[in-house]
């Protein structure tokens, strides 16, 4: 991968906006394209950071280490996790440790290792706008170069044939809690900032954790372990009907394969929209080991009689919230099944309420007239992870982790990062620098056995009842 000057006579082949795991994966794969690819990537942060507020000691990824930046597309890449271990002289300790799921902190360290050596990455660069120059048949990408303090150093413009958006997600704060989260007096913080506020939280008399996913479970467990037995003073609330385990059966995991992604993309829009909420346990559940650890810790605290002062209640939503006596929060709760309501007064709240796709309307405002949208006014995304634009725009804008509505729950999954990056590069180059597997799952997700992007034999013995058009 080369990083060319930003001028009209020598434009880039690809400009990436954002350097999270997905665009870092794409950059690492682009570095291995034979013959070179003129690509550059911008991020407004000063360095790579992956969920620093959630790197709790002992927490692990929910995907195997093979779901690194490159391995599932290019196992021989110098940017693989195993290459990182070898470079750090840690390959044999890892071999002896027999770890299939690595710690989050180790994944972060691996990504930072790649980001510090890979050419063409520009941190401290905030992308402000993207436009299409019809006369030159190029995208114009305007950016602001920032210093360490976030102050403006210079303005610049890059020209490119293609763009890839990888600006990631942002913490989601429910409407009833937004005013409190923005007020500094009472600690109402999102789980994304947990470690930055951990000591302040532990000093609070009573703590409430809201959210039933993995982050909420890990934070509840960390707080529970840090509080004295019999005086835990913890509440854990969730909207889901149970503190449920993540779907982690082997056939269930096949819904995070390219086969399922392609099947999902081919479904009608309304079917996709109805399906995604029903799949919450695929990505919003809790790891079985974490559930077991929580129960073990609670049980341990009953050994000398009595129960821990910890309340775990699923099926609860927060209707409204307000401040009480400037230092406390009052949560107005409703139980969905009982239809009952109550109030809970607490000294601190941790919102493990997940993330939402970061809107890119501002960055792509200049392309809005060319964007083609679905019936819900969301951008349409084709099978190559490319925004559907007016035909007058001959360049491509690819998206990463902004296409759940078209590609399903696997869009934010690290296990599909390398495959999606390879898919984008194969389409962008018009060749096949990364040959992709013809089949990735034992499950046949549709009765007709067809596949719109690959030539795969149909399941034997299945006869369509209606004509396939």
């Amino acid at each position: 991968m080369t990083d060319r000057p930003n001028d009209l006579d020598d434009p880039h082949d690809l400009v990436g906006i954002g350097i999270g795991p997905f665009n870092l994966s794409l950059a690492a794969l682009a570095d291995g394209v034979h013959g070179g690819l003129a690509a550059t990537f911008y991020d407004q942060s000063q360095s790579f950071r992956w969920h620093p507020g959630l790197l709790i000691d002992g927490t692990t990824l929910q995907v195997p280490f093979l779901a690194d930046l490159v391995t599932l597309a290019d196992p021989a890449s110098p940017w693989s996790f195993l290459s990182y271990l070898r470079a750090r002289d840690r390959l044999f300790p890892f071999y002896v440790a027999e770890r299939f799921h690595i710690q989050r902190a180790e994944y972060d360290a691996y990504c930072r290792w790649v980001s510090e050596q890979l050419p063409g990455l520009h941190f401290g660069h905030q992308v402000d706008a993207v436009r299409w120059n019809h006369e030159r048949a190029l995208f114009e990408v305007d950016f602001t170069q920032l210093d360490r303090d976030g102050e403006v150093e210079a303005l610049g413009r890059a020209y490119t044939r293609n763009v890839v958006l990888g600006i990631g997600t942002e913490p989601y704060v429910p409407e009833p809690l937004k005013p409190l989260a923005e007020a500094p007096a009472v600690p109402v913080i999102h789980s994304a900032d947990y470690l930055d506020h951990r000591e302040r939280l532990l000093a609070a008399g009573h703590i409430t954790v809201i959210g039933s996913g993995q982050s909420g479970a890990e934070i509840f467990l960390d707080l529970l372990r840090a509080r004295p037995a019999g005086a835990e003073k913890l509440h854990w609330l969730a909207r889901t009907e149970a503190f449920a385990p993540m779907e982690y059966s082997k056939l269930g995991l096949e819904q995070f394969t390219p086969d399922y992604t392609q099947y999902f993309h081919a479904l009608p829009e309304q079917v996709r929209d109805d399906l995604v909420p029903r799949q919450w346990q695929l990505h919003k559940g809790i790891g079985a080991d974490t559930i077991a650890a929580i129960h073990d810790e609670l049980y341990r605290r009953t050994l000398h009689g009595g129960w821990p002062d910890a309340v775990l209640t699923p099926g609860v939503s927060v209707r409204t919230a307000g401040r009480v006596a400037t230092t406390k929060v009052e949560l107005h709760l409703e139980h969905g099944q009982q239809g009952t309501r109550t109030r809970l007064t607490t000294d601190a709240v941790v919102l493990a309420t997940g993330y939402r796709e970061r809107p890119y309307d501002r960055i792509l405002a200049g392309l809005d007239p060319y964007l083609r949208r679905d019936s819900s006014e969301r951008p349409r995304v084709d099978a190559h992870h490319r925004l559907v634009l007016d035909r007058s725009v001959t360049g491509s804008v690819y998206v990463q982790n902004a296409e759940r509505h078209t590609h399903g729950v696997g869009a934010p999954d690290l296990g599909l990062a390398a495959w999606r990056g390879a898919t984008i590069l194969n389409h962008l180059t018009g060749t096949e620098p990364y040959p992709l597997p013809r089949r990735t799952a034992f499950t046949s997700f549709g009765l007709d056995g067809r596949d719109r992007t690959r030539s795969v034999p149909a399941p034997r013995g299945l006869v369509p009842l209606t004509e396939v058009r």
Side-chain angles (χ1 to χ4, degrees):
M1 182 172 66
T2 59
D3 190 11
R4 294 176 181 169
N6 302 327
D7 58 55
L8 282 168
D9 295 328
D10 199 12
H12 297 291
D13 295 315
L14 179 67
V15 164
I17 302 173
I19 309 176
F22 296 130
N23 263 359
L24 186 61
S25 169
L26 184 64
L29 291 170
D31 186 58
V33 172
H34 182 70
L37 189 70
T40 193
F41 292 77
Y42 300 117
D43 195 288
Q44 65 182 8
S45 300
Q46 293 297 325
S47 61
F48 182 91
R49 302 181 74 201
W50 183 74
H51 297 303
L54 284 171
L55 301 182
I56 302 169
D57 287 344
T59 56
T60 60
L61 289 184
Q62 292 178 283
V63 291
F65 75 90
L66 292 173
D68 63 10
L69 300 173
V70 293
T71 293
L72 290 176
D74 183 11
S77 170
W79 305 114
S80 70
F81 177 71
L82 292 180
S83 295
Y84 159 74
L85 291 177
R86 183 175 62 181
R88 294 294 177 92
D89 204 18
R90 297 178 60 231
L91 199 52
F92 272 90
F94 180 75
Y95 161 70
V96 173
E98 295 184 328
R99 293 183 182 274
F100 201 53
H101 292 81
I102 63 175
Q103 293 193 19
R104 287 185 181 180
E106 188 166 30
Y107 178 79
D108 175 64
Y110 154 65
C111 289
R112 284 189 282 110
W113 173 78
V114 175
S115 71
E116 289 164 2
Q117 299 183 79
L118 195 65
L121 306 185
H122 300 277
F123 291 96
H125 285 65
Q126 173 186 291
V127 172
D128 303 309
V130 177
R131 292 179 301 277
W132 176 249
N133 185 320
H134 280 282
E135 182 180 349
R136 301 285 185 173
L138 294 171
F139 291 104
E140 299 173 346
V141 180
D142 291 343
F143 60 85
T144 301
Q145 187 173 343
L146 308 172
D147 63 18
R148 287 284 174 182
D149 298 321
E151 299 297 325
V152 176
E153 276 191 337
L155 301 178
R157 175 175 294 171
Y159 297 93
T160 180
R161 298 180 181 88
N162 304 282
V163 173
V164 57
L165 286 172
I167 58 177
T169 57
E170 59 186 6
Y172 170 70
V173 177
E175 286 296 331
L177 290 154
K178 276 186 177 180
L180 294 174
E182 295 167 357
V186 184
V188 178
I189 61 106
H190 193 274
S191 58
D193 302 314
Y194 171 67
L195 287 182
D196 292 337
H197 297 271
R198 184 175 183 271
E199 296 306 316
R200 184 185 179 195
L201 290 167
L202 288 174
H206 182 277
I207 310 170
T208 300
V209 178
I210 299 175
S212 63
Q214 182 69 16
S215 297
E218 289 172 350
I219 288 171
F220 177 80
L221 178 59
D222 185 60
L223 293 171
L224 178 63
R225 286 170 169 168
R227 307 282 272 192
E232 294 84 0
K233 295 184 178 180
L234 292 172
H235 261 71
W236 185 16
L237 308 174
R239 287 191 306 170
T240 53
E241 295 179 356
F243 295 105
M246 183 84 74
E247 168 58 67
Y248 211 74
S249 65
K250 288 180 170 57
L251 290 179
L253 288 177
E254 289 198 336
Q255 292 174 86
F256 293 98
T257 61
D259 279 11
Y260 183 79
T261 300
Q262 292 159 342
Y263 159 79
F264 183 92
H265 185 269
L267 293 173
E269 179 187 332
Q270 188 58 54
V271 175
R272 296 197 304 257
D273 289 348
D274 292 342
L275 184 56
V276 168
R278 302 204 305 268
Q279 296 177 314
W280 67 270
Q281 214 166 333
L282 288 172
H283 60 106
K284 292 184 179 180
I286 306 168
D289 290 345
T290 307
I291 291 178
I294 290 172
H295 193 275
D296 289 347
E297 183 64 27
L298 291 168
Y299 178 74
R300 185 183 69 80
R301 291 167 182 253
T302 68
L303 295 182
H304 303 293
W307 288 69
D309 186 8
V311 179
L312 294 73
T313 309
V316 174
S317 59
V318 178
R319 295 176 53 248
T320 59
R323 205 182 326 180
V324 178
T326 69
T327 60
K328 293 181 181 293
V329 171
E330 185 175 84
L331 302 174
H332 294 226
L333 309 176
E334 181 172 9
H335 195 281
Q337 294 177 350
Q338 290 181 327
T340 54
R341 294 181 177 181
T342 189
R343 292 180 293 179
L344 171 65
T345 301
T346 186
D347 298 296
V349 178
V350 181
L351 301 172
T353 46
Y355 298 80
R356 295 292 186 272
E357 293 172 357
R358 184 172 281 116
Y360 46 78
D361 295 347
R362 179 188 62 81
I363 293 176
L364 295 186
L367 297 179
D368 188 69
Y370 309 107
L371 275 174
R372 296 295 174 257
R373 301 180 182 272
D374 63 17
S375 62
S376 298
E377 289 301 310
R378 297 166 301 193
R380 292 167 54 195
V381 186
D382 71 12
H384 303 289
H385 304 271
R386 181 180 57 163
L387 293 179
V388 178
L389 302 172
D390 185 86
R391 291 184 178 180
S392 63
V393 179
T394 55
S396 294
V397 178
Y398 302 93
V399 292
Q400 302 215 66
N401 196 12
E403 72 279 24
R404 185 180 297 184
H405 62 293
T406 57
H407 287 70
V409 295
D413 190 76
L414 294 176
L416 287 172
W419 170 79
R420 179 170 52 198
T423 300
I424 290 172
L425 290 172
N426 287 354
H427 181 266
L428 184 152
T429 60
T431 59
E432 199 174 39
Y434 294 104
L436 296 175
R438 296 182 61 206
R439 184 170 181 178
T440 58
F442 292 111
T443 305
S444 298
F445 295 103
L447 278 179
D448 54 32
R450 62 182 167 176
D451 190 298
R452 288 166 168 76
T453 59
R454 298 171 299 126
S455 176
V456 179
R460 294 180 181 177
L462 293 181
V463 179
L465 299 180
T466 58
E467 182 181 354
V468 178
R469 297 181 179 178

